[in-house]
Amino acid sequence: MFAKCCGTTTLGVDGQIIDVEVDVASGLPAFDMVGLPDTMVKEAKERVRTAVKNSGIKIMPQKVTVNLAPAGIRKDSPGLDLPIAVGLLAAYGVLPQTSIENYLFSGELSLEGQLRAVPGILPMAIKARERGFKAFFVASDNVNEALLVDGLTIYSVSTLKDLVDFLNHKVQWEPAVHTDAVEESQEEMLEDFADVQGQFVAKRAFEIAAAGGHNILLVGSPGAGKTMLARRLNSILPEMTMKEALEVTKIYSVSGLLKKNSGLITRRPFRSPHHTTSSVAMIGGGSIPHPGEVSLSHNGVLFLDELPEFSKQTLEALRQPLEDGVVSIARVNASLTFPSRILLCCSMNPCPCGYYNDPEKQCDCSLQEIKRYNRKISGPLLDRIDIHIRVPRVSYKELTATEQAESSAAIRKRVVAARERQLKRFEKYGIVCNAQMTSSILKKTCVVTKEAQKILRAAFIEKKLSARSYDRLKKVAQTIADLDSSDEITGVHIAEAIQLRNDIGINWE
């Protein structure tokens, strides 16, 4: 007897509907699975067979063939356990075929027939709504995630036996509703710039970086406060829009990083990978590509502490994602694109010992060692970082000052106001901040005064700027103008932008 039901898996950060076709025929008992399943899915036959038995459902040993279509896509989700079990029971006549039509199933089965949560439910639910399914059956721990998609009926399944009773109309279920989701509190999780004494230039640079979405590099001696400043960057970024939150939640869902019973991620990601991170872990990949750190930082901050300690291969792999805002990964089995629109924040010491140009401690590195250390960061990568600043040592007077420093909330108000100006300006271009401007958008939207143009021309010639550096300088100047509520870029704005790109005190040649 033949039966068919629908399951789902993920392909990149999107859902993929899988047709599960099951045929039961007379012959020697066997359970064959075709359709390019990976090892995890191949093992489903043992989980399904044992779960059916332990659910009190008796079926005769026969020749079973399961086909997962489309056959050209590799299936790697344990969530196919449930649709395989449902299709098998329908093929044996335990379930009527009409009771499973237009329903979508996803869940991992335990050996006793209980349903476990699987990653990627949010993109699966979005795909189910697009395809017009009547309902989506998921594990209880996946319900809050699936309910983020409006216009789709969600049913919570605890055990295979309960699902069989429901599909046979022996019991009635009410569709799932929202329960208390695990959410992170902004107030509890974010550190505040009010805790940082001194460092006024660095705080100003962070305000500009947050307002325009600009990448930033901090250079300073050990203990100057580079990491402390970087970890407070999230506290002054604007809140995510619903679209941005859904994008981030999809990525974390596919990666299996959502907390149990969690709902929508509302706080911008902040990722800080160790310098031993490989290029694959940073960019993403694998035989079936999965998101890396740049994608997990999408719409948020990627903080690279001790930048020169990362491998050259890892750093150079960042160039394309920083430029394009996406990561394209090609494999034999699949070619996928992951979003990677990030704000890159980096910190480093000026030399191996850390005290080059330090007013208090003497540097014991040779000139050759300093050059070799700084050359670990290539010119093309530096070209993609808009703001380069030196973070000086905090004086005792600043450290012991009783005057309260400006809070993140106060800085954030100015950042949000600047972002609102940008959103209005870029309404027809589909971008949200100055850092995302292309050269054509830059020419159409940025008004530069004659005085500012003269300063810009002098800087271009003197600093030997590339075309990319020239554009990025104008983008930073535009952000400074937005913070000043100015409709044009003046000489003051250009001058500050130049200072923020060259105040690192290191000869990179």
Side-chain angles (χ1 to χ4, degrees):
M1 187 175 175
F2 173 83
K4 176 183 174 182
C5 73
C6 290
T8 178
T9 184
T10 55
L11 191 62
V13 293
D14 297 316
Q16 176 71 42
I17 302 300
I18 303 296
D19 292 331
V20 180
E21 302 170 343
V22 183
D23 182 73
V24 176
S26 59
L28 292 175
F31 197 126
D32 297 321
M33 194 175 299
V34 296
L36 212 58
D38 75 346
T39 304
M40 188 189 308
V41 178
K42 286 179 180 177
E43 292 173 348
K45 63 183 180 182
E46 300 300 334
R47 292 193 294 270
V48 168
R49 188 157 47 192
T50 308
V52 169
K53 181 191 70 173
N54 289 333
S55 297
I57 303 170
K58 294 182 180 180
I59 55 177
M60 295 294 292
Q62 289 182 275
K63 180 176 174 56
V64 177
T65 304
V66 176
N67 178 44
L68 306 175
I73 298 174
R74 181 170 289 277
K75 292 81 182 176
D76 66 336
S77 173
L80 291 173
D81 285 7
L82 185 60
I84 290 172
V86 170
L88 179 67
L89 294 176
Y92 269 101
V94 177
L95 292 173
Q97 176 69 46
T98 54
S99 71
I100 62 175
E101 291 176 350
N102 296 321
Y103 288 161
L104 189 65
F105 303 89
S106 181
E108 179 185 345
L109 286 171
S110 72
L111 295 184
E112 57 183 343
Q114 293 183 338
L115 216 62
R116 293 179 176 142
V118 296
I121 286 294
L122 177 57
M124 294 176 189
I126 292 173
K127 179 61 72 173
R129 182 182 62 184
E130 292 174 356
R131 290 282 294 270
F133 284 95
K134 287 183 179 179
F136 188 19
F137 292 82
V138 300
S140 302
D141 290 342
N142 282 140
V143 166
N144 282 330
E145 187 180 340
L147 286 171
L148 294 174
V149 180
D150 295 328
L152 180 65
T153 301
I154 306 297
Y155 285 105
S156 173
V157 183
S158 299
T159 67
L160 178 61
K161 181 66 168 62
D162 292 342
L163 179 61
V164 171
D165 289 342
F166 173 77
L167 294 175
N168 279 323
H169 308 293
K170 293 182 179 179
V171 295
Q172 295 293 322
W173 286 355
E174 291 295 326
V177 294
H178 280 282
T179 57
D180 293 333
V182 177
E183 295 182 356
E184 295 173 311
S185 169
Q186 294 273 3
E187 291 72 24
E188 293 175 359
M189 298 298 294
L190 297 182
E191 299 178 81
D192 201 296
F193 271 104
D195 304 326
V196 181
Q197 297 293 343
Q199 301 295 8
F200 301 108
V201 173
K203 288 179 183 178
R204 171 64 174 171
F206 271 101
E207 180 179 339
I208 295 168
H214 303 291
N215 302 325
I216 182 170
L217 170 65
L218 311 174
V219 183
S221 303
K226 303 185 295 295
T227 303
M228 181 174 63
L229 286 162
R231 293 195 177 279
R232 284 160 173 75
L233 178 54
N234 252 16
S235 68
I236 61 173
L237 289 172
E239 290 185 5
M240 287 195 291
T241 63
M242 178 58 71
K243 180 183 176 182
E244 290 175 330
L246 280 172
E247 289 174 352
V248 172
T249 307
K250 277 177 64 176
I251 295 170
Y252 276 71
S253 175
V254 168
S255 302
L257 297 177
L258 287 182
K259 295 181 179 179
K260 184 178 178 180
N261 291 323
S262 65
L264 192 69
I265 293 178
T266 57
R267 193 163 69 93
R268 292 187 181 273
F270 183 94
R271 303 289 295 183
S272 180
H274 192 260
H275 61 76
T276 56
T277 299
S278 68
S279 59
V280 174
M282 183 69 76
I283 302 302
S287 57
I288 298 178
H290 283 81
E293 291 292 338
V294 291
S295 296
L296 293 171
S297 307
H298 180 60
N299 290 329
V301 177
L302 176 62
F303 176 48
L304 303 183
D305 201 5
E306 304 297 343
L307 187 64
E309 301 302 326
F310 285 83
S311 72
K312 190 172 184 66
Q313 182 182 9
T314 300
L315 292 180
E316 293 307 301
L318 288 170
R319 285 158 57 175
Q320 183 258 336
L322 288 176
E323 193 71 20
D324 300 337
V326 294
V327 176
S328 299
I329 302 173
R331 294 291 186 269
V332 174
N333 295 321
S335 296
L336 302 173
T337 299
F338 297 113
S340 60
R341 187 70 68 183
I342 63 172
L343 195 165
L344 178 66
C345 179
C346 310
S347 72
M348 60 177 288
N349 297 326
C351 66
C353 78
Y355 297 105
Y356 178 69
N357 275 350
D358 189 277
E360 302 294 333
K361 289 190 178 182
Q362 184 175 353
C363 172
D364 57 8
C365 302
S366 67
L367 184 60
Q368 197 64 31
E369 287 175 327
I370 295 172
K371 286 185 176 181
R372 190 183 305 115
Y373 181 76
N374 289 309
R375 280 174 182 161
K376 292 181 180 179
I377 306 166
S378 68
L381 179 59
L382 279 174
D383 223 19
R384 289 166 168 81
I385 301 177
D386 305 340
I387 299 173
H388 308 161
I389 63 164
R390 185 171 180 85
V391 181
R393 182 189 295 273
V394 180
S395 67
Y396 179 79
K397 182 179 179 181
E398 290 174 326
L399 198 61
T400 56
T402 56
E403 184 180 350
Q404 183 69 39
E406 189 176 30
S407 68
S408 292
I411 299 173
R412 191 181 190 186
K413 285 181 181 178
R414 298 194 294 269
V415 169
V416 170
R419 283 287 184 107
E420 287 174 352
R421 288 177 62 88
Q422 294 166 49
L423 284 171
K424 186 177 180 180
R425 184 165 61 243
F426 302 137
E427 190 174 3
K428 63 180 180 180
Y429 297 109
I431 59 177
V432 298
C433 62
N434 290 328
Q436 297 176 8
M437 283 191 288
T438 61
S439 294
S440 60
I441 297 175
L442 192 63
K443 291 175 183 177
K444 292 175 183 176
T445 60
C446 294
V447 180
V448 185
T449 63
K450 290 183 178 180
E451 177 197 9
Q453 195 64 53
K454 288 180 181 179
I455 298 173
L456 195 55
R457 181 178 179 274
F460 183 83
I461 296 171
E462 181 184 346
K463 303 296 182 182
K464 299 180 175 62
L465 299 178
S466 66
R468 182 187 291 113
S469 296
Y470 174 80
D471 281 351
R472 288 182 177 270
L473 198 60
K474 285 181 67 177
K475 291 176 187 179
V476 174
Q478 180 62 67
T479 300
I480 297 170
D482 289 333
L483 286 168
D484 284 350
S485 300
S486 173
D487 293 329
E488 57 184 15
I489 300 173
T490 66
V492 174
H493 302 143
I494 286 290
E496 185 175 4
I498 293 171
Q499 184 67 17
L500 288 173
R501 194 172 176 86
N502 293 277
D503 187 27
I504 52 177
I506 297 177
N507 180 12
W508 296 98
E509 302 297 328

